[in-house]
């Protein structure tokens, strides 16, 4: 089974072939945005995406992102008990 994690894009390069920076639970990672970028990477600043193995796989809305993050936090707490 694979899992995607929501992250918010906080920095982009000048074109879709450059890496972007995403914030996932306070940790910043470099990701590839080519699968979700249609034209101008700057339009993705602040956008929530579903990240899997270093790729932004899809754009998601903020509510969906926050609900998923909350579910992952709950899962972590359950596993730690």
């Amino acid at each position: 089974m694979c899992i995607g994690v929501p992250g918010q894009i906080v920095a982009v390069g000048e074109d879709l072939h450059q890496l972007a920076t995403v914030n996932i639970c306070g940790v910043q990672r470099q990701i590839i945005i080519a699968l979700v970028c249609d034209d101008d990477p700057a339009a993705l600043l602040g956008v929530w995406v579903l990240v899997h193995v270093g790729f932004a796989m899809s754009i998601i809305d903020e509510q969906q992102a926050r609900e998923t993050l909350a579910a992952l936090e709950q899962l972590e707490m359950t596993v730690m008990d």
Side-chain angles (χ1 to χ4, degrees):
M1 173 172 39
C2 299
I3 187 166
V5 180
Q8 188 174 32
I9 296 177
V10 296
V12 294
E14 292 188 20
D15 66 49
L16 65 94
H17 302 292
Q18 295 177 332
L19 293 175
T21 304
V22 67
N23 182 336
I24 302 172
C25 297
V27 177
Q28 293 191 354
R29 299 279 187 221
Q30 299 293 302
I31 62 166
I32 297 168
I33 57 170
L35 297 174
V36 297
C37 186
D38 291 329
D39 187 27
D40 181 19
L44 292 175
L45 287 172
V47 170
W48 286 87
V49 293
L50 194 59
V51 179
H52 177 65
V53 293
F55 286 86
M57 301 300 291
S58 62
I59 294 174
I60 59 175
D61 65 41
E62 184 174 357
Q63 180 179 350
Q64 182 182 9
R66 296 200 183 279
E67 289 172 359
T68 302
L69 289 171
L72 290 172
E73 286 178 15
Q74 186 65 34
L75 179 63
E76 178 184 21
M77 290 186 335
T78 302
V79 171
M80 299 303 259
D81 285 341

Coordinates of all heavy atoms in Angstrom, one line a residue:
M1 N 0.8 -1.2 0.0 CA 0.0 0.0 0.0 C 0.9 1.2 0.0 O 1.9 1.3 0.6 CB -0.9 0.0 1.2 CG -1.7 1.3 1.3 SD -3.0 1.5 2.6 CE -2.4 0.7 4.0
C2 N 0.4 2.3 -0.7 CA 1.2 3.5 -0.8 C 0.4 4.6 -0.1 O -0.8 4.5 0.0 CB 1.4 4.0 -2.2 SG 2.3 2.8 -3.2
I3 N 1.1 5.6 0.4 CA 0.4 6.7 1.1 C 1.0 8.0 0.6 O 2.1 8.1 0.3 CB 0.6 6.6 2.7 CG1 -0.3 7.6 3.4 CG2 2.0 6.7 3.0 CD1 -0.4 7.4 4.8
G4 N 0.1 8.9 0.4 CA 0.4 10.3 0.0 C 0.2 11.2 1.2 O -0.7 10.9 2.0
V5 N 1.1 12.2 1.4 CA 1.0 13.1 2.5 C 0.7 14.5 2.0 O 1.4 14.9 1.1 CB 2.3 13.0 3.3 CG1 2.3 13.9 4.5 CG2 2.6 11.6 3.7
P6 N -0.2 15.2 2.6 CA -0.5 16.6 2.2 C 0.7 17.5 2.6 O 1.3 17.4 3.7 CB -1.7 17.0 3.0 CG -2.3 15.7 3.5 CD -1.2 14.7 3.6
G7 N 1.0 18.4 1.7 CA 2.0 19.4 2.0 C 1.6 20.7 1.2 O 0.9 20.7 0.2
Q8 N 2.1 21.8 1.7 CA 1.8 23.1 1.1 C 3.1 23.6 0.4 O 4.1 23.7 1.0 CB 1.3 24.1 2.2 CG 0.8 25.4 1.6 CD 0.2 26.3 2.7 OE1 0.6 26.3 3.8 NE2 -0.8 27.0 2.3
I9 N 2.9 24.0 -0.8 CA 4.1 24.5 -1.6 C 4.4 25.9 -1.1 O 3.6 26.8 -1.0 CB 3.7 24.5 -3.1 CG1 3.5 23.1 -3.6 CG2 4.9 25.2 -3.9 CD1 3.1 23.0 -5.0
V10 N 5.7 26.1 -0.7 CA 6.2 27.3 -0.1 C 7.2 28.0 -1.0 O 7.5 29.2 -0.8 CB 6.7 27.1 1.3 CG1 5.6 26.7 2.2 CG2 7.9 26.1 1.3
A11 N 7.8 27.3 -2.0 CA 8.8 27.9 -2.9 C 8.8 27.1 -4.2 O 8.6 25.9 -4.2 CB 10.1 28.0 -2.3
V12 N 9.0 27.8 -5.3 CA 9.1 27.2 -6.6 C 10.2 27.8 -7.4 O 10.7 28.9 -7.1 CB 7.7 27.4 -7.4 CG1 6.6 26.7 -6.7 CG2 7.4 28.8 -7.6
G13 N 10.6 27.0 -8.4 CA 11.6 27.5 -9.3 C 11.0 28.3 -10.4 O 9.8 28.6 -10.4
E14 N 11.8 28.6 -11.4 CA 11.3 29.5 -12.5 C 10.5 28.7 -13.6 O 9.7 29.2 -14.3 CB 12.4 30.2 -13.2 CG 13.0 31.3 -12.3 CD 14.0 32.1 -13.0 OE1 14.0 32.2 -14.3 OE2 14.8 32.8 -12.3
D15 N 10.7 27.4 -13.6 CA 9.9 26.5 -14.5 C 9.5 25.2 -13.8 O 10.1 24.9 -12.8 CB 10.6 26.3 -15.9 CG 11.9 25.5 -15.8 OD1 11.9 24.4 -15.1 OD2 12.9 25.9 -16.3
L16 N 8.6 24.5 -14.5 CA 8.1 23.3 -13.8 C 9.2 22.1 -13.7 O 8.9 21.2 -13.0 CB 6.9 22.7 -14.6 CG 7.0 22.3 -16.0 CD1 7.2 20.8 -16.0 CD2 5.8 22.6 -16.8
H17 N 10.3 22.3 -14.4 CA 11.3 21.3 -14.3 C 12.3 21.4 -13.1 O 13.1 20.6 -12.9 CB 12.1 21.3 -15.6 CG 11.3 21.0 -16.8 ND1 10.7 19.8 -17.1 CD2 10.9 21.8 -17.8 CE1 9.9 19.9 -18.2 NE2 10.1 21.1 -18.6
Q18 N 12.1 22.6 -12.4 CA 13.0 22.8 -11.2 C 12.2 22.3 -10.0 O 11.0 22.2 -10.0 CB 13.3 24.3 -11.1 CG 14.2 24.8 -12.2 CD 14.4 26.3 -12.1 OE1 13.6 27.0 -11.5 NE2 15.6 26.7 -12.6
L19 N 12.9 21.9 -9.0 CA 12.3 21.4 -7.8 C 11.6 22.6 -7.0 O 12.0 23.7 -7.1 CB 13.3 20.8 -6.8 CG 14.0 19.6 -7.3 CD1 15.1 19.2 -6.3 CD2 13.0 18.4 -7.5
A20 N 10.5 22.2 -6.4 CA 9.8 23.1 -5.5 C 10.0 22.7 -4.1 O 10.4 21.6 -3.8 CB 8.3 23.1 -5.9
T21 N 9.7 23.6 -3.1 CA 9.8 23.2 -1.7 C 8.4 23.2 -1.2 O 7.5 24.0 -1.4 CB 10.6 24.3 -1.0 OG1 11.9 24.5 -1.6 CG2 10.7 23.9 0.5
V22 N 8.1 22.1 -0.4 CA 6.8 21.9 0.2 C 7.0 21.7 1.7 O 8.1 21.2 2.2 CB 6.2 20.6 -0.4 CG1 6.9 19.3 0.0 CG2 4.7 20.5 0.0
N23 N 6.1 22.3 2.5 CA 6.1 22.2 3.9 C 5.1 21.1 4.3 O 3.9 21.1 4.0 CB 5.7 23.5 4.5 CG 5.7 23.5 6.0 OD1 5.6 22.4 6.7 ND2 5.8 24.6 6.6
I24 N 5.6 20.0 5.0 CA 4.8 18.9 5.4 C 5.0 18.8 7.0 O 6.1 18.4 7.4 CB 5.2 17.6 4.8 CG1 5.1 17.7 3.3 CG2 4.4 16.4 5.4 CD1 5.7 16.5 2.5
C25 N 4.0 19.2 7.7 CA 4.0 19.2 9.2 C 5.3 19.9 9.7 O 5.9 19.4 10.6 CB 4.0 17.8 9.7 SG 2.5 16.9 9.2
G26 N 5.6 21.0 9.1 CA 6.8 21.8 9.6 C 8.1 21.4 9.1 O 9.1 22.0 9.3
V27 N 8.2 20.4 8.3 CA 9.4 19.9 7.7 C 9.4 20.3 6.2 O 8.4 20.0 5.5 CB 9.6 18.4 7.8 CG1 10.8 17.9 7.1 CG2 9.6 18.0 9.3
Q28 N 10.4 20.9 5.7 CA 10.4 21.3 4.3 C 11.2 20.2 3.5 O 12.3 19.8 3.9 CB 11.1 22.6 4.1 CG 10.2 23.7 4.7 CD 10.6 25.1 4.4 OE1 11.6 25.3 3.7 NE2 9.8 26.1 4.8
R29 N 10.7 19.9 2.3 CA 11.2 18.9 1.4 C 11.2 19.4 0.0 O 10.3 20.3 -0.3 CB 10.4 17.6 1.4 CG 10.4 16.9 2.8 CD 11.6 16.1 3.0 NE 11.5 15.4 4.2 CZ 12.5 15.2 5.1 NH1 13.6 15.8 4.9 NH2 12.3 14.5 6.2
Q30 N 12.1 18.9 -0.8 CA 12.1 19.3 -2.2 C 11.3 18.3 -3.0 O 11.4 17.1 -2.7 CB 13.6 19.2 -2.8 CG 14.5 20.2 -2.1 CD 14.1 21.7 -2.4 OE1 14.1 22.0 -3.6 NE2 13.8 22.4 -1.4
I31 N 10.4 18.7 -3.9 CA 9.6 17.8 -4.6 C 9.5 18.3 -6.1 O 9.9 19.4 -6.5 CB 8.1 17.8 -4.1 CG1 7.5 19.2 -4.2 CG2 8.1 17.3 -2.7 CD1 6.0 19.2 -4.0
I32 N 9.1 17.3 -6.9 CA 8.9 17.6 -8.3 C 7.4 18.0 -8.6 O 6.5 17.3 -8.1 CB 9.3 16.3 -9.2 CG1 10.7 16.0 -8.9 CG2 8.9 16.5 -10.6 CD1 11.2 14.7 -9.4
I33 N 7.2 19.1 -9.3 CA 5.8 19.6 -9.5 C 5.3 19.4 -10.9 O 4.2 19.8 -11.2 CB 5.7 21.1 -9.1 CG1 6.7 21.9 -9.9 CG2 5.9 21.2 -7.6 CD1 6.5 23.4 -9.7
A34 N 6.1 18.7 -11.7 CA 5.8 18.6 -13.2 C 4.4 18.0 -13.4 O 3.7 18.3 -14.4 CB 6.8 17.8 -13.9
L35 N 3.9 17.1 -12.5 CA 2.7 16.4 -12.7 C 1.5 17.3 -12.4 O 0.3 17.0 -12.8 CB 2.6 15.2 -11.9 CG 3.6 14.1 -12.2 CD1 3.5 12.9 -11.2 CD2 3.4 13.6 -13.6
V36 N 1.7 18.4 -11.6 CA 0.5 19.3 -11.3 C 0.7 20.7 -11.8 O -0.2 21.5 -11.6 CB 0.4 19.3 -9.7 CG1 0.0 18.0 -9.2 CG2 1.6 19.9 -9.0
C37 N 1.8 21.0 -12.5 CA 2.0 22.3 -13.0 C 1.6 22.4 -14.4 O 2.2 21.8 -15.3 CB 3.5 22.7 -12.8 SG 3.8 24.4 -13.2
D38 N 0.6 23.3 -14.7 CA 0.2 23.4 -16.1 C 1.0 24.5 -16.8 O 1.2 24.4 -18.0 CB -1.3 23.8 -16.2 CG -2.2 22.6 -15.7 OD1 -1.8 21.5 -16.0 OD2 -3.2 22.9 -15.2
D39 N 1.4 25.6 -16.1 CA 2.0 26.7 -16.8 C 3.0 27.4 -16.0 O 4.2 27.1 -16.0 CB 0.9 27.7 -17.3 CG 1.4 28.8 -18.1 OD1 2.4 28.6 -18.8 OD2 0.8 29.9 -18.2
D40 N 2.6 28.3 -15.1 CA 3.4 29.1 -14.3 C 3.6 28.5 -12.9 O 2.6 28.5 -12.1 CB 2.9 30.5 -14.2 CG 3.7 31.5 -13.4 OD1 4.9 31.2 -13.1 OD2 3.2 32.5 -12.9
P41 N 4.8 28.0 -12.5 CA 5.0 27.5 -11.2 C 4.6 28.4 -10.0 O 4.1 28.0 -9.0 CB 6.5 27.1 -11.1 CG 6.9 27.0 -12.5 CD 6.0 28.0 -13.3
A42 N 4.7 29.7 -10.2 CA 4.4 30.7 -9.2 C 2.9 30.6 -8.8 O 2.6 30.9 -7.6 CB 4.7 32.1 -9.6
A43 N 2.1 30.1 -9.7 CA 0.7 30.0 -9.4 C 0.4 28.9 -8.3 O -0.6 28.8 -7.7 CB -0.1 29.6 -10.6
L44 N 1.4 28.0 -8.1 CA 1.3 27.0 -7.1 C 1.7 27.4 -5.7 O 1.5 26.6 -4.7 CB 2.1 25.7 -7.5 CG 1.6 25.0 -8.8 CD1 2.6 23.9 -9.1 CD2 0.3 24.4 -8.5
L45 N 2.2 28.6 -5.5 CA 2.6 29.0 -4.2 C 1.4 29.0 -3.2 O 0.4 29.6 -3.6 CB 3.3 30.4 -4.2 CG 4.7 30.4 -4.8 CD1 5.2 31.8 -5.0 CD2 5.7 29.6 -3.9
G46 N 1.6 28.4 -2.1 CA 0.5 28.3 -1.1 C -0.5 27.2 -1.4 O -1.4 26.9 -0.6
V47 N -0.4 26.5 -2.5 CA -1.3 25.4 -2.9 C -1.0 24.2 -2.1 O 0.2 23.8 -1.9 CB -1.3 25.2 -4.4 CG1 -2.1 24.0 -4.8 CG2 -1.8 26.4 -5.1
W48 N -2.0 23.4 -1.7 CA -1.8 22.1 -1.0 C -1.8 21.0 -2.1 O -2.6 21.0 -3.0 CB -3.0 21.8 -0.1 CG -2.9 22.7 1.2 CD1 -3.4 23.9 1.3 CD2 -2.2 22.3 2.4 NE1 -3.1 24.4 2.6 CE2 -2.4 23.4 3.3 CE3 -1.5 21.2 2.8 CZ2 -1.9 23.4 4.6 CZ3 -1.0 21.2 4.1 CH2 -1.2 22.3 5.0
V49 N -0.8 20.1 -2.0 CA -0.7 19.0 -2.9 C -0.5 17.7 -2.1 O -0.1 17.7 -0.9 CB 0.5 19.2 -3.8 CG1 0.3 20.3 -4.8 CG2 1.8 19.4 -3.0
L50 N -0.8 16.6 -2.8 CA -0.6 15.3 -2.2 C 0.7 14.8 -2.7 O 1.0 14.7 -3.9 CB -1.7 14.3 -2.6 CG -1.8 13.0 -1.9 CD1 -2.1 13.3 -0.4 CD2 -3.0 12.2 -2.5
V51 N 1.7 14.5 -1.7 CA 3.0 14.2 -2.1 C 3.3 12.7 -1.8 O 2.9 12.2 -0.8 CB 4.0 15.0 -1.2 CG1 5.5 14.7 -1.5 CG2 3.8 16.5 -1.4
H52 N 3.9 12.1 -2.8 CA 4.2 10.7 -2.7 C 5.6 10.5 -3.4 O 5.8 10.9 -4.5 CB 3.2 9.8 -3.4 CG 3.5 8.4 -3.4 ND1 3.6 7.6 -2.3 CD2 3.8 7.5 -4.4 CE1 3.9 6.4 -2.6 NE2 4.1 6.3 -3.9
V53 N 6.5 9.9 -2.7 CA 7.9 9.7 -3.1 C 8.5 10.8 -3.9 O 9.2 10.7 -4.9 CB 8.1 8.4 -3.9 CG1 7.8 7.2 -3.0 CG2 7.2 8.3 -5.2
G54 N 8.4 12.0 -3.3 CA 9.0 13.2 -3.9 C 8.3 13.9 -5.1 O 8.8 14.8 -5.7
F55 N 7.1 13.4 -5.4 CA 6.3 14.0 -6.5 C 5.0 14.6 -5.9 O 4.4 13.9 -5.1 CB 5.9 12.9 -7.5 CG 7.0 12.5 -8.4 CD1 7.9 11.5 -8.0 CD2 7.2 13.0 -9.6 CE1 8.9 11.0 -8.8 CE2 8.2 12.6 -10.4 CZ 9.1 11.6 -10.0
A56 N 4.6 15.8 -6.4 CA 3.3 16.3 -6.1 C 2.4 15.5 -7.1 O 2.5 15.7 -8.3 CB 3.3 17.8 -6.4
M57 N 1.5 14.7 -6.6 CA 0.7 13.8 -7.4 C -0.6 14.5 -7.8 O -1.1 14.2 -8.9 CB 0.4 12.5 -6.7 CG 1.6 11.7 -6.3 SD 2.6 11.2 -7.7 CE 1.6 10.0 -8.4
S58 N -1.1 15.3 -6.9 CA -2.4 16.0 -7.2 C -2.5 17.2 -6.3 O -1.9 17.3 -5.3 CB -3.6 15.1 -7.1 OG -3.7 14.7 -5.7
I59 N -3.4 18.1 -6.8 CA -3.7 19.3 -6.0 C -4.9 19.0 -5.2 O -5.9 18.4 -5.7 CB -4.0 20.5 -6.9 CG1 -2.7 20.9 -7.7 CG2 -4.5 21.7 -6.1 CD1 -2.9 22.0 -8.7
I60 N -4.9 19.3 -3.9 CA -6.0 19.1 -3.0 C -6.4 20.4 -2.3 O -5.6 21.3 -2.2 CB -5.7 18.0 -1.9 CG1 -4.5 18.4 -1.1 CG2 -5.5 16.6 -2.6 CD1 -4.2 17.4 0.0
D61 N -7.6 20.4 -1.8 CA -8.0 21.7 -1.1 C -7.5 21.6 0.3 O -7.2 20.6 0.9 CB -9.5 21.9 -1.2 CG -10.4 20.9 -0.5 OD1 -10.0 20.5 0.6 OD2 -11.4 20.5 -1.0
E62 N -7.5 22.8 0.9 CA -6.9 22.9 2.3 C -7.7 22.1 3.3 O -7.1 21.5 4.2 CB -6.9 24.4 2.7 CG -6.2 24.6 4.1 CD -6.1 26.1 4.4 OE1 -6.4 27.0 3.6 OE2 -5.6 26.3 5.5
Q63 N -9.0 22.1 3.2 CA -9.8 21.3 4.2 C -9.4 19.8 4.1 O -9.2 19.2 5.1 CB -11.3 21.5 4.0 CG -12.1 20.7 4.9 CD -13.6 20.9 4.7 OE1 -14.0 21.8 4.0 NE2 -14.4 20.1 5.4
Q64 N -9.3 19.3 2.9 CA -9.0 17.9 2.7 C -7.6 17.6 3.3 O -7.3 16.6 3.9 CB -9.0 17.5 1.2 CG -8.7 16.1 0.9 CD -8.7 15.8 -0.6 OE1 -8.8 16.7 -1.4 NE2 -8.6 14.5 -0.9
A65 N -6.6 18.6 3.0 CA -5.3 18.4 3.5 C -5.3 18.4 5.1 O -4.6 17.5 5.7 CB -4.4 19.6 3.1
R66 N -6.0 19.3 5.7 CA -6.0 19.4 7.2 C -6.7 18.1 7.8 O -6.2 17.6 8.8 CB -6.6 20.6 7.6 CG -5.8 21.9 7.2 CD -6.1 23.1 8.0 NE -5.4 24.2 7.5 CZ -4.1 24.5 7.8 NH1 -3.4 23.7 8.6 NH2 -3.5 25.6 7.4
E67 N -7.7 17.6 7.1 CA -8.4 16.4 7.6 C -7.5 15.2 7.5 O -7.4 14.4 8.4 CB -9.7 16.2 6.9 CG -10.8 17.2 7.2 CD -12.0 17.0 6.3 OE1 -12.0 16.2 5.4 OE2 -12.9 17.8 6.5
T68 N -6.7 15.1 6.4 CA -5.8 14.0 6.3 C -4.7 14.1 7.3 O -4.3 13.1 7.9 CB -5.2 14.0 4.8 OG1 -6.3 13.9 3.9 CG2 -4.3 12.8 4.6
L69 N -4.1 15.3 7.5 CA -3.1 15.4 8.5 C -3.5 15.1 9.9 O -2.8 14.4 10.6 CB -2.5 16.9 8.5 CG -1.7 17.2 7.2 CD1 -1.4 18.7 7.2 CD2 -0.4 16.4 7.2
A70 N -4.8 15.5 10.2 CA -5.3 15.1 11.5 C -5.5 13.6 11.7 O -5.2 13.1 12.7 CB -6.7 15.8 11.7
A71 N -5.9 13.0 10.6 CA -6.1 11.5 10.6 C -4.7 10.8 10.8 O -4.6 9.9 11.6 CB -6.8 11.0 9.4
L72 N -3.7 11.3 10.1 CA -2.4 10.8 10.3 C -1.8 11.0 11.7 O -1.2 10.1 12.2 CB -1.4 11.4 9.2 CG -1.7 11.0 7.8 CD1 -0.8 11.8 6.8 CD2 -1.4 9.5 7.6
E73 N -2.1 12.1 12.3 CA -1.7 12.4 13.7 C -2.4 11.4 14.6 O -1.8 10.9 15.5 CB -2.0 13.8 14.0 CG -1.0 14.8 13.4 CD -1.4 16.3 13.8 OE1 -2.1 16.5 14.7 OE2 -0.8 17.2 13.1
Q74 N -3.7 11.2 14.4 CA -4.4 10.3 15.2 C -3.9 8.9 15.1 O -3.7 8.1 16.1 CB -5.9 10.3 14.9 CG -6.8 9.5 15.8 CD -6.8 10.0 17.2 OE1 -6.8 11.2 17.4 NE2 -6.9 9.2 18.1
L75 N -3.5 8.5 13.9 CA -2.9 7.1 13.7 C -1.6 7.0 14.4 O -1.3 6.0 15.0 CB -2.8 6.9 12.2 CG -2.1 5.6 11.7 CD1 -3.0 4.4 12.2 CD2 -1.9 5.6 10.2
E76 N -0.8 8.1 14.3 CA 0.5 8.0 15.0 C 0.3 7.9 16.5 O 1.0 7.1 17.2 CB 1.3 9.3 14.7 CG 2.6 9.4 15.5 CD 3.3 10.7 15.3 OE1 2.7 11.7 14.9 OE2 4.5 10.7 15.5
M77 N -0.7 8.6 17.1 CA -0.9 8.5 18.5 C -1.4 7.1 18.9 O -1.1 6.6 19.9 CB -2.0 9.6 19.0 CG -1.4 11.0 18.9 SD -2.4 12.3 19.6 CE -4.0 11.8 19.5
T78 N -2.2 6.5 18.1 CA -2.8 5.1 18.3 C -1.6 4.1 18.3 O -1.6 3.2 19.1 CB -3.8 4.8 17.2 OG1 -4.9 5.7 17.3 CG2 -4.4 3.4 17.5
V79 N -0.7 4.3 17.3 CA 0.4 3.4 17.2 C 1.4 3.5 18.4 O 1.9 2.5 18.9 CB 1.2 3.6 15.9 CG1 2.5 2.8 15.8 CG2 0.2 3.2 14.7
M80 N 1.5 4.7 18.9 CA 2.5 5.0 20.0 C 1.9 4.5 21.3 O 2.7 4.3 22.3 CB 2.8 6.4 20.1 CG 3.4 7.0 18.8 SD 4.9 6.1 18.4 CE 6.1 7.2 19.0
D81 N 0.6 4.3 21.4 CA 0.0 3.8 22.7 C 0.3 2.4 23.0 O 0.5 1.5 22.3 CB -1.5 4.1 22.8 CG -1.8 5.5 23.0 OD1 -0.9 6.3 23.4 OD2 -2.9 5.9 22.7

